[in-house]
Amino acid sequence: MKEFNTRQFRDTLSAFATGIAVVTARDKFGKPVAMTVNSFSPVSLTPPLVLWSVDCGSDFFEEFSQADYYAVHVLRQDQQDVSTHFSTEMEDRFADMDTDKGVSNLPLLPNYCARLQCKMEHRYEGGDHLILVGRVLDIDHKPADPLIFHAGKYRTLE
Ligand SMILES: Cc1cc2nc3c(=O)[nH]c(=O)nc-3n(C[C@H](O)[C@H](O)[C@H](O)COP(=O)(O)O)c2cc1C
């Protein structure tokens, strides 16, 4: 068997193109939290299940892993700035940000090409990440070209 290091593993995984999503939730005090992710994946049609995974070393690990609900916003190709915003460390990611209220008071972003509101159904350990499986309670879809992430870079459809 050939040995490989983390860098080589990351580079190999980066051949798999993904979309980009922003996941939102509320912490136990009701404060909104959000982060950019590309680990989102559909799981099951019946029942409707999706997953994403949170880094165990994330500053928001406790908030997301303990949340009972989360919302996934799949970003449009013109929302690279939104992806950068929600993956950059700052005091308050929701300052000057308009949000709507969703299921169980979930903070919802107004712009996306697809939005899924979920109730946490299962949590699975996955090495240095925790896999969060949610049951989809509500969906919204505004057809638009998606933002793509591939080989460590943002891409758009030709
Ligand atoms: C393209 C992209 C995809 C990301 N995907 C994930 C992910 O799936 N899970 C995760 O925990 N962090 C992911 N991150 C990192 C978080 O967005 C980022 O670490 C976090 O929001 C910054 O705060 P923290 O480091 O304090 O968690 C991703 C970042 C980028 C730019």
Side-chain angles (χ1 to χ4, degrees), residues 4-51:
F4 55 87
N5 62 30
T6 308
R7 180 74 258 164
Q8 292 165 323
F9 185 42
R10 278 182 83 116
D11 289 348
T12 301
L13 293 178
S14 77
F16 185 61
T18 68
I20 293 278
V22 173
V23 182
T24 59
R26 281 194 194 274
D27 71 10
K28 60 182 176 190
F29 306 109
K31 193 169 165 276
V33 287
M35 75 157 68
T36 298
V37 308
N38 72 336
S39 55
F40 172 72
S41 180
V43 174
S44 160
L45 284 179
T46 314
L49 299 175
V50 296
L51 69 75

Side-chain angles (χ1 to χ4, degrees), residues 18-21 23 34-40 52-61 64 83-90 93 128-130 147-150 152-154:
T18 68
I20 293 278
V23 182
M35 75 157 68
T36 298
V37 308
N38 72 336
S39 55
F40 172 72
W52 70 283
S53 57
V54 61
D55 189 329
C56 301
S58 166
D59 287 348
F60 298 104
F61 177 77
F64 281 112
S83 176
T84 303
H85 178 86
F86 287 108
S87 56
T88 304
E89 251 183 79
M90 62 184 75
R93 286 178 175 168
D128 58 12
H129 280 62
L130 187 71
L147 185 59
I148 293 167
F149 196 65
H150 175 253
K153 292 200 177 89
Y154 293 107

Side-chain angles (χ1 to χ4, degrees), residues 25-154:
R26 281 194 194 274
D27 71 10
K28 60 182 176 190
F29 306 109
K31 193 169 165 276
V33 287
M35 75 157 68
T36 298
V37 308
N38 72 336
S39 55
F40 172 72
S41 180
V43 174
S44 160
L45 284 179
T46 314
L49 299 175
V50 296
L51 69 75
W52 70 283
S53 57
V54 61
D55 189 329
C56 301
S58 166
D59 287 348
F60 298 104
F61 177 77
E62 296 299 322
E63 289 85 338
F64 281 112
S65 60
Q66 287 169 17
D68 290 325
Y69 295 85
Y70 64 75
V72 178
H73 306 75
V74 179
L75 298 188
R76 301 185 313 235
Q77 71 173 22
D78 63 351
Q79 291 187 286
Q80 196 179 312
D81 57 333
V82 178
S83 176
T84 303
H85 178 86
F86 287 108
S87 56
T88 304
E89 251 183 79
M90 62 184 75
E91 184 78 21
D92 177 7
R93 286 178 175 168
F94 283 90
D96 305 322
M97 182 89 43
D98 281 337
T99 56
D100 299 320
K101 284 184 180 168
V103 173
S104 192
N105 204 22
L106 270 174
L108 300 180
L109 306 180
N111 299 316
Y112 51 82
C113 56
R115 186 170 69 187
L116 304 96
Q117 298 182 58
C118 308
K119 183 170 184 354
M120 194 80 78
E121 186 109 341
H122 305 288
R123 297 173 178 88
Y124 300 107
E125 284 178 25
D128 58 12
H129 280 62
L130 187 71
I131 300 161
L132 303 173
V133 175
R135 179 180 285 251
V136 181
L137 302 179
D138 199 7
I139 53 174
D140 297 281
H141 186 209
K142 300 183 199 173
D145 285 346
L147 185 59
I148 293 167
F149 196 65
H150 175 253
K153 292 200 177 89
Y154 293 107

